[in-house]
Amino acid sequence: MANMKTMAPVITIDGPSGSGKGTISRQVARNLGFHLLDSGALYRLMGLYILQLAHDPQQPTDDELEQLARDMPVEFRAGKAGDVDILLDNQVVNDRLRTEQIGEMASRLAAMPAVRRGLLQRQRDFCRLPGLVADGRDMGTVVFPDAILKIYLDASQEARAERRRKQLIEKGENVSIAILLQDLRRRDQRDRNRKHAPLMPADDAVNIDSTELDIDQVVTIVMDIATERLSMRA
Ligand code: C5P
């Protein structure tokens, strides 16, 4: 058995859309000097990849889907100012991944066990020294069950919809809160009720409700627990 201390420690941050897990994960990874896995990006990449292959008139079988997920030509490359460029087939696709169409495809593909199987090892391959912060829906429950710290980050639907509205306003888009709430409820419903790897806290997760907290407050809470857990391994 591998020595615990020589294995890269993993911190998982799971939660629903708009809980702030992406921003929190980035900051915690930066503070600790750890690698970062944005697992949602892999499901979105799969959506974009399938769209690009749409010239193939045949619906892929489960085996083909699993193989596509395993082999899709993806690269995460350090970009400007600490950002990460995401490449599909050697093209930077960051902006294309963030559209509603791709989000919707990602969420449908994520309900397919063949896709989840195909992406499993790719996600585990991100685990390298000195450590990894992994964000998603099933990081603590399925992908990294031995993580040293599992955070489940949630917030009220209203707070999450309001955060999304602010992000869109910054991009020059104005969408009503009612529509955003409706989208959020649909996504939550699908993520929480799917049969395979549904969104739920791991039994040993630390639950944080960020409804009344700002980003810095959540980062401080996570960093305090992470520092304590890491010192216990030292
Ligand atoms: O986090 P993000 O919104 O980018 O994820 C896109 C979709 O991928 C989610 O709606 C969710 O259904 C799916 N997903 C998942 N498991 C993960 C990460 C994302 O099912 N670990």
Side-chain angles (χ1 to χ4, degrees), residues 79-103:
K80 286 175 251 126
D83 287 340
V84 173
D85 284 338
I86 305 176
L87 290 90
L88 177 62
D89 238 344
N90 295 314
Q91 302 288 323
V92 176
V93 292
N94 295 47
D95 289 343
R96 294 180 64 194
L97 291 183
R98 296 287 143 205
T99 65
E100 274 309 298
Q101 183 198 19
I102 294 298

Side-chain angles (χ1 to χ4, degrees), residues 14 17 21 38-41 43-44 98 103 106-108 110-111 116 123 135-139 143 187 191 194 197:
D14 287 306
S17 303
K21 60 189 179 342
D38 167 6
S39 62
Y43 289 91
R44 288 172 183 267
R98 296 287 143 205
S107 146
R108 290 216 215 120
R116 303 201 79 88
Q123 296 173 84
D135 96 68
R137 307 292 190 288
D138 63 338
M139 297 295 99
V143 182
R187 283 265 180 94
D191 283 349
R194 68 177 174 227

Side-chain angles (χ1 to χ4, degrees), residues 127 170 179:
C127 181
E170 277 165 25
I179 293 191

Side-chain angles (χ1 to χ4, degrees), residues 114-126:
V115 173
R116 303 201 79 88
R117 274 198 306 276
L119 291 181
L120 185 63
Q121 191 55 45
R122 293 191 87 132
Q123 296 173 84
R124 290 187 172 153
D125 288 343
F126 277 77

Side-chain angles (χ1 to χ4, degrees), residues 154-224:
D154 209 342
S156 71
Q157 280 183 329
E158 290 71 21
R160 291 188 284 126
E162 185 52 35
R163 286 173 192 167
R164 179 84 186 122
R165 196 176 71 88
K166 282 197 184 133
Q167 277 174 353
L168 289 172
I169 287 174
E170 277 165 25
K171 286 206 267 172
E173 294 170 47
N174 202 349
V175 183
S176 83
I177 201 83
I179 293 191
L180 290 172
L181 260 174
Q182 206 177 45
D183 285 357
L184 235 140
R185 287 193 180 120
R186 201 184 56 237
R187 283 265 180 94
D188 279 3
Q189 160 87 2
R190 199 183 282 148
D191 283 349
R192 291 196 163 113
N193 296 321
R194 68 177 174 227
K195 224 164 128 198
H196 303 276
L199 169 65
M200 60 175 184
D203 288 341
D204 49 350
V206 176
N207 288 276
I208 301 176
D209 185 328
S210 71
T211 307
E212 307 285 338
L213 302 174
D214 65 24
I215 300 281
D216 287 346
Q217 290 172 309
V218 180
V219 170
T220 303
I221 297 172
V222 176
M223 282 301 300
D224 283 351

